[in-house]
């Protein structure tokens, strides 16, 4: 981080607005250097506030990191839920869900690195959140599978975990490879692969 990254000191602002500003600055620092290398001094400087102001909102670096992780996890879960609710056509649902993973991982803010590539997963509170976001995404997908196919919950969860894992891992590979395939094309390829598998479990009352 260089001095050019530092924002000018800002004046008073409403508490929620200040909190959002601090989270934005913290995300930039944590994504750039990781949890262990980041300091509260770095984050306060990046936000353009004094360190006491930062501590008024977040008592410790871990509290700040967890608040940011919560927001990032919620963003992904909501993206998956919105994708599933966007249509009743299951083929389109698969495309929308895979595109949601690509959109989250490909976002220039880099929040996905906190969720999927954290350097603090030995911390129980972080590990619990990382595990929960994968579970919440799989549960959202499994509800659609269970409702449509009539499969038992355990089997629906197994299929959903596979789809969620496919979306997450492939989206991360897509970003790390430099994004030479554009997002729309990547979503199409990924959705085609996923659909050819999940369509083998047709809607209840149909023959496939």
């Amino acid at each position: 981080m260089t001095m050019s990254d530092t924002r000018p000191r800002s004046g008073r602002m409403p508490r929620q607005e200040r909190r959002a500003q601090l989270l934005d600055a913290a995300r930039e620092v944590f994504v750039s250097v990781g949890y262990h290398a980041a300091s509260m001094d770095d984050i306060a400087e990046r936000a353009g506030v004094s360190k006491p102001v930062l501590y008024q909102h977040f008592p410790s670096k871990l509290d700040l990191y967890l608040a940011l992780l919560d927001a990032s996890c919620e963003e992904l879960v909501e993206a998956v839920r919105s994708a599933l609710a966007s249509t009743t056509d299951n083929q389109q649902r698969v495309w929308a869900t895979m595109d949601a993973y690509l959109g989250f991982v490909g976002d220039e803010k880099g929040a996905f690195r906190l969720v999927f590539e954290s350097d603090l997963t030995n911390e129980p509170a972080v590990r619990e959140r990382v595990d929960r976001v994968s579970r919440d995404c799989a549960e959202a997908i499994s509800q659609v599978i269970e409702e449509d196919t009539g499969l038992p919950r355990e089997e629906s969860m197994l299929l959903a975990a596979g789809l969620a894992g496919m979306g997450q891992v492939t989206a991360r590979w897509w970003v790390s490879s430099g994004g030479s395939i554009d997002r729309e094309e990547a979503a199409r390829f990924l959705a085609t692969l996923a659909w050819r598998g999940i369509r083998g479990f047709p809607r209840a009352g149909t023959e496939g």
Side-chain angles (χ1 to χ4, degrees):
M1 188 178 306
T2 65
M3 289 303 294
S4 62
D5 295 320
T6 304
R7 295 178 183 137
R9 286 294 174 99
S10 55
R12 295 179 63 85
M13 61 176 63
R15 184 173 181 81
Q16 286 304 109
E17 187 177 340
R18 175 69 78 193
R19 180 182 173 88
Q21 177 205 24
L22 296 175
L23 287 172
D24 282 344
R27 183 183 60 249
E28 292 172 10
V29 174
F30 285 135
V31 166
S32 175
V33 302
Y35 178 84
H36 294 293
S39 72
M40 293 294 266
D41 285 312
D42 293 333
I43 295 166
E45 186 176 2
R46 185 73 184 92
V49 302
S50 65
K51 195 158 69 168
V53 168
L54 180 57
Y55 277 111
Q56 286 173 9
H57 291 264
F58 303 100
S60 71
K61 185 169 74 165
L62 180 59
D63 287 321
L64 176 52
Y65 190 85
L66 292 176
L68 187 58
L69 183 57
D70 282 337
S72 300
C73 289
E74 182 179 354
E75 181 182 344
L76 175 58
V77 174
E78 285 306 308
V80 170
R81 287 174 176 163
S82 295
L84 292 167
S86 65
T87 178
T88 57
D89 181 298
N90 281 333
Q91 186 171 5
Q92 288 301 311
R93 272 178 171 154
V94 171
W95 180 90
T97 301
M98 295 304 157
D99 186 62
Y101 277 101
L102 291 168
F104 177 74
V105 173
D107 190 285
E108 62 182 12
K109 295 182 297 184
F112 84 95
R113 299 192 184 280
L114 304 177
V115 180
F116 298 132
E117 298 177 2
S118 174
D119 60 347
L120 195 63
T121 52
N122 61 330
E123 166 62 44
V126 173
R127 182 75 259 165
E128 188 275 332
R129 285 163 169 80
V130 171
D131 290 343
R132 186 176 65 208
V133 70
S134 295
R135 184 174 65 249
D136 287 350
C137 288
E139 285 182 349
I141 297 169
S142 76
Q143 288 173 10
V144 175
I145 294 174
E146 186 175 356
E147 290 169 3
D148 277 5
T149 66
L151 287 171
R153 172 175 168 74
E154 292 79 8
E155 295 176 16
S156 297
M157 274 298 295
L158 182 67
L159 294 173
L163 290 172
M166 180 186 295
Q168 177 201 137
V169 172
T170 309
R172 289 168 60 194
W173 180 89
W174 172 69
V175 166
S176 68
S177 69
S180 56
I181 302 174
D182 68 45
R183 175 177 163 182
E184 184 175 353
E185 188 74 352
R188 185 177 69 83
F189 271 100
L190 187 53
T192 298
L193 176 63
W195 175 245
R196 287 178 177 174
I198 198 65
R199 71 184 298 182
F201 303 88
R203 290 179 186 267
T206 70
E207 297 181 356

